[in-house]
Amino acid sequence: MKSHYKVIVIGGGIGGCSTLYHLTREGCTDVALIERNELTSGTTWHSAAQVTNFGATQTMVGLKSHSIKLYKELSADPENPINYHHASGGIRLASTQEHLDGYNHFISLAKGMGVNFEMLDPAECAKRHPLIETHDLLGGLWDPLDGDIDPAQLTQSLAREARKAGAEIFRHNPVEAIHQDEDGKWVLQTKNGVVSCDKLVNAGGYRVNELGKMLGIEYPVISMEHMYFLTESLPELEAIDYRVPLLRDPLDDFYSRQEKNGLLVGIYEQRCKTWGMDGIDPNFVNALCPDDLDRCLDNMERVFKRMPCLERTGIHSIINGPITYSADGNPLVGKTPGFDNLYSIIGLRAGLGEGGGHGKILAEIILHGESEWDTWCIDPARFTSHANTEFTALKSIEDYQNEFRFHMPHEARPAGRLAKTTSIYTTLKAQHAEFGVVNGWERAMFFKPTADFEFKHSFRFTETDKIVAAEVKGVTENVGIMEVNGFNRFEIKGPKAAEWLNSLMCSNIPKTVGRIGLCYFLTEKGNVLGEATIAKLSEDTFWYGSAAAAEYKDMDWLRTHLPEEGVEIRSLTNTHTILSVTGPKSRDLLASLSPRTDWSNAAFPWLTTKPVFIGHAAAQALRVSFSGELGWELHVPNEQLLLAHTLLTEAGVDYGLIPFGSMALESMRLEKGYRHWKADLITEFDPFESALDRFIKIDKEEDFPGKAALLAKQGKPMRKKFVTLTVDCDIAPAHPGDSICVNGKVVGTVTSAAFGYRVNKNIVLAFIDPAYASEGSEVDVEIIGTPYPAVVVSDCLYDPKNEKVRSL
């Protein structure tokens, strides 16, 4: 080893080798990979190694498509071929209408990434896979490029190509300790000596938290035991001259693929087990867990009914090994929050199938700060303090048990719940709140008419939509109250606070004490990184507010740019909670409880803030409204939240106060064209493409991050344009990822959608080709498999002059 490298990757599985390969492809060759044993000696070696194009978001589809393309190229090397069964095809079975609706949505989503799936009827499923029975089947999703690959050959190929480009690999060299020098460099004590690097990557596989302890980090990643078995040869397979497609069954919790003339069958049993939570034997290398097929007996009867041939053959061997899961099933690929030069590629549940894309994304982030795709779905910063090891274990078990069952719209699964609650949770529960989860926080989605009302998750409109409509009506006609917990809130103060904040934003920050501004900040490439509501509380004190999910992401970005002196940041995210009081009677309600505050428009105009008392509960009141009605946000210290909520609820009886939830708010904000971070605001587009022109001060004196890149784009054609559409469909809303087409050609992608009950329109927000972005342009929006006519409209359908929010 040299004494120093620009980048060191720890771990020689698919994640580490893919990262090393892609770093060299991006031009960085001063890199090394350190592996404690042999390459591919962890989870990678016993992987079932399926390579599918299927993904729940466009980013996941994109990285899988990259993996398939890369693996095909590598496998074509005549000197070092890889056993890659490319394009065997795969079927995901559908046994319910919900499965069909979901698959039709994913077909549309994938189409926007240039990937073509197909819906099959039961007869066609059986024709393409002659070993299955079609009882209870409604159809299946066909992935033409599905296949499987040899794990060891793949990782060796990636390693070989990286070495050719100048990277170095050191095997049988376990890392024993890690520390960071004062200058920020990482210093690694390894078995074979000390080495340092500018940037460090944790690709430790199931030993991720052993490295985490050396780094002082508890990663939200654990391992689950996973079993598959290999059968003896089957006459049915010997009799045909093609490989049967891969099979995945969300009802019976199994998958299958051909292995020689037999089958490989993997079970996602309900009686599953975590692994290694109390430590891992240092000698667990190229090793397996004890066989335990008894755990799978509950599944086996159903599996045999789907594939009767399994009853007529023997089991050749059983593989039971650890695979890593994160707290939401997606990997952690990117920069570690709290560090400037520490990265991870861990929690790779489907590592072989996705690993090529993960390595590409991470290499781009390490070297360029961002990927070509928005990577929030795999960003390590999406997990915050609630995602401890025990929480992760509960969620991993749940995810394992639902491996092929995609999340339905608005579905919040039960494991790990109540991780973050406020003092009014039980109050809202008594009001029949149906809760979802935002960054671990329990947040009311809507309020059920009765305690036993069943919330049916569907891609279509349901009875719940009538309840949401009633909540919108109550807010619009009288006044509503909503708890917005977990809202990201930082106090930024100091003599240089104003100057510093203004230097970061491509918008102007408020200059007058008591004023509020909506501000945006960019990546170095000039794309939209985030949105912040900034309130000036005093000459040297500001409140910075953003989406609850952005808690770690925004703090990390601010900390990275923090000057050596003159500015301090303190998080109030977990010390305060918002009570949003909104509707035409909100002023009267608040005045009845706070008579010493002048709530008039002259004294308390739109986009201003002041400290108030609600009864004897202190609050910072901001006159802003995400609903588009007259309203205030009351930022209340958590110790007085129950008091404030009780007082408002009791006094609200005289004003027709109703509780409302996030689904009603979603409907109302779409009518106003208000954006949602990581739905409508993503790092793939700049602020002009995102239709944020009125907030962008490109001529401001300050050299804010991304300014040079934004200036360089001036005069160049836009890639996409953000628009609002209304769609003529009365059976369902669109869903994020759905394609927008003209004459069958994809021209855009849905980012947010819901029915707007005040304007009686089915609304879609989307990025589309600029040629179709002008008002009046006619397009089609695909909704659960069917194109519906839609038209581009004004970006504000409700109260476009803002007369409601400015109400006198």
Side-chain angles (χ1 to χ4, degrees), residues 737-756:
D738 280 338
S739 285
I740 299 168
C741 301
V742 173
N743 297 324
K745 177 186 175 184
V746 177
V747 299
T749 298
V750 174
T751 59
S752 296
F755 197 85

Side-chain angles (χ1 to χ4, degrees), residues 425-584:
Y425 173 82
T426 54
T427 302
L428 301 181
K429 190 76 171 176
Q431 295 175 328
H432 308 317
E434 178 73 29
F435 289 93
V437 180
V438 180
N439 190 24
W441 289 97
E442 297 287 331
R443 187 179 292 180
M445 292 189 287
F446 67 94
F447 289 81
K448 299 179 288 187
T450 61
D452 59 355
F453 176 85
E454 181 182 356
F455 181 25
K456 182 182 178 182
H457 302 292
S458 176
F459 282 88
R460 300 168 184 263
F461 291 128
T462 68
E463 289 299 306
T464 299
D465 294 280
K466 296 178 182 178
I467 298 170
V468 174
E471 290 182 6
V472 172
K473 186 173 187 290
V475 169
T476 305
E477 294 181 353
N478 295 303
V479 57
I481 184 169
M482 176 183 175
E483 179 192 43
V484 186
N485 48 23
F487 183 76
N488 192 31
R489 182 187 301 97
F490 303 145
E491 180 186 76
I492 299 174
K493 64 187 302 183
K496 295 183 180 179
E499 175 188 352
W500 177 66
L501 275 173
N502 205 39
S503 73
L504 296 180
M505 303 293 161
C506 63
S507 315
N508 287 330
I509 68 166
K511 295 181 172 61
T512 305
V513 172
R515 294 295 298 178
I516 300 168
L518 187 60
C519 300
Y520 293 88
F521 50 100
L522 310 178
T523 71
E524 290 297 338
K525 292 185 178 181
N527 294 325
V528 176
L529 182 59
E531 174 189 73
T533 299
I534 296 180
K536 186 168 185 174
L537 273 56
S538 71
E539 287 299 338
D540 64 355
T541 304
F542 296 82
W543 268 15
Y544 171 111
S546 60
E551 180 183 357
Y552 278 13
K553 187 73 171 178
D554 283 8
M555 177 60 86
D556 202 49
W557 186 79
L558 291 169
R559 179 194 55 76
T560 300
H561 293 84
L562 198 65
E564 292 184 2
E565 59 182 10
V567 181
E568 297 177 0
I569 305 179
R570 180 168 66 109
S571 177
L572 305 176
T573 300
N574 300 305
T575 64
H576 290 64
T577 296
I578 294 173
L579 294 176
S580 175
V581 180
T582 186

